[in-house]
């Protein structure tokens, strides 16, 4: 297992010699001691990435060849999928089957953007006068991809794959809880044949390594996924150099069950929407809005299902609820549960627990009688905690759904086609799922409205974020 920095296709310790511990949250064992990138390491990575960008190694490579490298990386990752998924589960605590899905999705993302590499084009423009005028889409430059710990590899690929396809070079800063799969990915990228400096990984803390990347004048764009507070800090730090930024931030997504929905499938969907990924999912359906007339039926089924969902060893094939990523995260989730117990009615879960005497687990927790203004309704908990609110009629449902600073995602459960589309349009969120939840595809753009950020990952839209548009006028 590699634990050093990956800069210019070379593995090296931090300039300061500093290392930080990575812990398996399910067993509390130390997994690795990883090099902590210093300001000088960041500077070195930026120089190497820029040399690669501006020198022959990368710029000289045709778009089609860049695509071929991404395809090859996808194939190599597929061959090492089990190793990668195991490492993801060990560092994050999520069930092994979920990590396998994450890796498979990453392979798809690499292939999807491999296909785009030679299809990034400009336009010819019908301007007035004797001119031939056209646009070029040029790579934005050196990209710092700063990612969180919940889908460590997959979310990183949402950034580095389109960035590389567009011709940028990348420095990836994984979260300090989960740097190991990024480092294994570096090994794969080198094996695939990416030239030195095209893809670099500099693990470390957010306050030191992440911040140094954001403030570095040689970084052209910061592609960030993480919390809204850190997103705001990045906006401030990026302002001095007028850096391009894209921010995928937090959420408190509404999942609306209308009375005319197929209730068993809506309840099943609502449960998956909050408890998949232990609720450590930015788009988690953490506010369940239930139409009054079906409230009791929904709650009976939801509580029964939630009580059956017990935390388990992430490597047990039957486990559907793993360990939270860290003790810090467990403490934070438990403080929300304590607040919820004072404000609303606890109907399932509510306890921190251990499996085989170890680990930072939290039971699948459901609060009924929740209302806007409560901490558990207004704030992102980022854990397996669902707040259930009741509404009466479409208008109130829409109003409550939009009663949040966030706008990442939403779910709608109804059999009425007109209602489904009307509500989908009225909700201020970047993704709306109708009669389903938590589906993602490399072709489908993902990102936020309001305090959930701006810019889009995935789809053609992500590529736009890694290019600058240049307009060229030729007098005829
Ligand atoms: P975080 O914001 O604490 O950290 C995210 C990354 O930013 C980490 O790599 C961290 O080291 C780095 N960082 C921290 N401070 C920094 C700074 N000042 N400058 C530069 N980098 C810095 O988030 P987290 O706790 O790792 O992840 C959870 C959060 O991420 C939640 O709020 C969740 O909603 C959000 N998230 C959003 C999406 C999305 O697509 N919108 C997806 C997953 C997670």
């Amino acid at each position: 297992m590699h634990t050093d920095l990956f800069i210019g296709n070379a593995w090296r310790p931090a300039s300061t010699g500093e290392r930080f511990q990575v812990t398996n949250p399910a067993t509390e064992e130390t997994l690795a001691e990883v090099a902590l990138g210093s300001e000088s390491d960041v500077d070195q990575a930026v120089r190497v990435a820029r040399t690669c960008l501006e020198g022959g190694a990368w710029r000289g490579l045709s778009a089609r060849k860049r695509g071929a490298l991404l395809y090859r990386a996808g194939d190599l990752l597929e061959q090492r999928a089990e190793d990668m998924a195991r490492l993801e589960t060990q560092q994050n605590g999520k069930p092994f089957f979920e990590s396998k899905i994450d890796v498979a999705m990453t392979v798809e993302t690499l292939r999807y953007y491999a296909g785009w590499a030679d299809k990034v084009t400009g336009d010819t423009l019908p301007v007035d006068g004797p001119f031939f005028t056209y646009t070029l889409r040029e790579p934005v430059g050196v990209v710092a991809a700063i990612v969180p710990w919940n889908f460590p590899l997959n979310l990183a690929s949402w950034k580095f794959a389109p960035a590389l396809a567009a011709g940028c070079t990348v420095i990836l800063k994984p979260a300090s809880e989960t740097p190991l799969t990024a480092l294994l990915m570096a090994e794969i990228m080198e094996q695939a044949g990416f030239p030195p400096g095209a893809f670099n990984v500099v693990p470390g803390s957010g306050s030191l390594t992440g911040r140094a990347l954001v403030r570095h004048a040689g970084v052209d764009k910061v592609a960030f996924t993480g919390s809204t507070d850190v997103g705001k800090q990045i906006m401030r730090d990026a302002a001095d150099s007028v850096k391009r930024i894209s921010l995928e931030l937090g959420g408190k997504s509404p999942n609306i069950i209308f009375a005319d929905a197929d209730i068993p499938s809506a309840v099943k969907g609502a449960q998956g929407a909050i408890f998949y990924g232990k609720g450590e999912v930015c788009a988690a359906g953490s506010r369940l809005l239930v139409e009054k007339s079906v409230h009791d039926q929904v709650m009976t089924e939801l509580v029964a299902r939630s009580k059956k969902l017990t935390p388990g060893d992430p490597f047990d094939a039957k486990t559907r609820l793993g360990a939270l990523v860290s003790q810090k995260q467990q403490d934070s989730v438990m403080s929300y549960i304590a607040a919820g117990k004072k404000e609303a009615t606890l109907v399932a879960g509510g306890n921190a627990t251990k499996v085989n005497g170890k680990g930072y687990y939290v039971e699948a927790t459901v609060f009924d009688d929740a209302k806007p203004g409560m901490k558990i309704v207004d704030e992102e908990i980022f854990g397996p905690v669902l707040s259930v609110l009741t509404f009466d009629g479409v208008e109130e449902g829409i109003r409550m759904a939009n009663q949040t600073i966030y706008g990442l995602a939403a779910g709608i459960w109804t059999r009425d086609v007109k209602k489904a589309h009307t509500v989908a349009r009225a909700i201020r969120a970047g993704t709306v799922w109708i009669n389903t939840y938590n589906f993602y595809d490399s072709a489908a753009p993902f990102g936020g409205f309001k305090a959930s950020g701006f810019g889009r990952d995935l789809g053609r839209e992500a590529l736009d974020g890694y290019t600058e548009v240049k307009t060229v006028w030729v007098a005829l």
Side-chain angles (χ1 to χ4, degrees):
M1 187 196 315
H2 281 289
T3 55
D4 279 342
L5 315 176
F6 182 75
I7 299 175
N9 283 7
W11 297 97
R12 52 178 89 167
S15 60
T16 54
E18 264 192 272
R19 296 195 163 262
F20 61 97
Q21 270 191 10
V22 181
T23 305
N24 181 332
T27 62
E28 301 176 32
E29 285 160 3
T30 301
L31 274 172
E33 304 243 325
V34 172
L36 194 157
S38 66
E39 219 166 309
S40 128
D41 295 320
V42 163
D43 187 53
Q44 183 62 25
V46 175
R47 279 169 204 276
V48 166
R50 182 148 297 281
T51 304
C52 178
L53 180 84
E54 291 172 359
W58 192 235
R59 180 163 269 202
L61 214 60
S62 71
R64 194 151 299 164
K65 288 205 174 115
R66 281 204 311 273
L69 289 177
L70 282 167
Y71 263 122
R72 190 158 156 64
D75 289 347
L76 291 170
L77 175 58
E78 196 168 48
Q79 286 164 24
R80 301 196 63 179
E82 286 272 321
D83 293 346
M84 188 63 98
R86 189 171 309 109
L87 206 51
E88 199 73 300
T89 284
Q90 283 172 338
Q91 63 179 359
N92 170 280
K94 64 173 71 187
F96 189 40
F97 87 94
E98 289 188 12
S99 292
K100 286 197 246 183
I101 294 171
D102 291 359
V103 175
M105 284 175 63
T106 305
V107 170
E108 283 312 310
T109 298
L110 287 164
R111 289 179 178 153
Y112 176 80
Y113 285 107
W116 265 114
D118 60 0
K119 296 167 196 72
V120 177
T121 59
D123 295 311
T124 52
L125 308 171
V127 297
D128 256 0
F131 302 106
F132 168 45
T133 307
Y134 61 93
T135 55
L136 295 170
R137 279 208 169 260
E138 298 184 346
V140 77
V142 173
V143 171
I146 303 180
V147 296
W149 42 254
N150 58 341
F151 293 85
L153 177 71
N154 195 217
L155 290 184
S157 76
W158 289 13
K159 305 194 185 304
F160 72 73
L164 292 167
C168 300
T169 55
V170 174
I171 302 161
L172 170 62
K173 212 280 304 159
S176 44
E177 294 82 354
T178 55
L180 301 176
T181 47
L183 293 169
L184 179 53
M185 192 67 219
E187 199 180 310
I188 289 171
M189 298 296 267
E190 185 183 10
Q191 206 187 340
F194 280 88
F199 178 79
N200 310 277
V201 181
V202 183
S205 70
S207 51
L208 187 99
T209 321
R211 199 137 192 243
L213 277 166
V214 178
R215 292 160 78 137
H216 199 296
V219 170
D220 299 292
K221 162 154 183 167
V222 174
F224 174 74
T225 294
S227 59
T228 295
D229 281 348
V230 172
K232 289 179 189 171
Q233 179 65 43
I234 286 176
M235 285 180 91
R236 286 189 283 266
D237 283 341
D240 280 344
S241 51
V242 196
K243 219 171 240 98
R244 279 89 186 102
I245 52 175
S246 59
L247 303 175
E248 303 276 358
L249 308 175
K252 190 75 189 179
S253 299
N255 198 8
I256 314 171
I257 302 183
F258 286 101
D260 62 18
D262 170 348
I263 299 297
S265 86
V267 172
K268 189 166 174 235
Q271 196 199 19
I274 182 64
F275 298 128
Y276 188 86
K278 316 159 257 166
E280 292 169 339
V281 177
C282 51
S286 50
R287 284 186 300 141
L288 183 65
L289 312 188
V290 182
E291 196 155 18
K292 214 176 199 168
S293 61
V294 290
H295 170 270
D296 292 355
Q297 185 190 351
V298 166
M299 290 315 290
T300 306
E301 292 187 31
L302 181 67
V303 170
R305 290 188 76 98
S306 303
K307 284 187 172 164
K308 274 194 220 145
L309 187 69
T310 48
D313 173 357
F315 283 104
D316 181 334
K318 291 192 290 297
T319 296
R320 290 294 174 271
L321 190 61
L324 299 200
V325 73
S326 62
Q327 178 150 36
K328 185 170 156 234
Q329 190 62 13
Q330 187 192 42
D331 291 346
S332 160
V333 171
M334 289 312 296
S335 76
Y336 277 107
I337 291 177
K341 283 179 178 167
K342 292 191 197 129
E343 300 173 321
T345 311
L346 180 71
V347 290
N351 299 301
T353 177
K354 291 180 184 293
V355 171
N356 303 324
K358 297 273 181 202
Y360 313 123
Y361 297 84
V362 172
E363 291 173 346
T365 299
V366 181
F367 284 102
D368 198 4
D369 305 319
K371 306 247 169 354
M374 293 180 177
K375 217 169 146 63
I376 56 164
V377 173
D378 292 352
E379 295 181 24
E380 182 183 50
I381 299 175
F382 224 57
V385 182
L386 180 62
S387 303
V388 183
L389 300 87
T390 325
F391 69 93
D392 210 359
V394 174
E395 265 179 39
E396 193 183 19
I398 292 170
R399 192 167 45 76
M400 282 174 82
N402 284 333
Q403 209 169 350
T404 169
I405 59 164
Y406 295 111
L408 193 56
I412 299 167
W413 299 85
T414 174
R415 287 192 172 98
D416 180 334
V417 174
K418 188 175 162 202
K419 190 189 288 180
H421 290 286
T422 306
V423 177
R425 281 175 187 227
I427 287 179
R428 305 255 303 134
T431 295
V432 178
W433 287 289
I434 298 172
N435 294 331
T436 185
Y437 206 95
N438 257 344
F439 272 85
Y440 303 87
D441 191 284
S442 303
F446 182 80
F449 282 28
K450 305 196 281 183
S452 293
F454 50 82
R456 290 291 176 270
D457 280 328
L458 302 179
R460 194 186 53 211
E461 283 75 1
L463 278 170
D464 291 348
Y466 296 103
T467 57
E468 296 275 16
V469 178
K470 181 180 281 174
T471 307
V472 182
W473 291 75
V474 186
L476 297 177

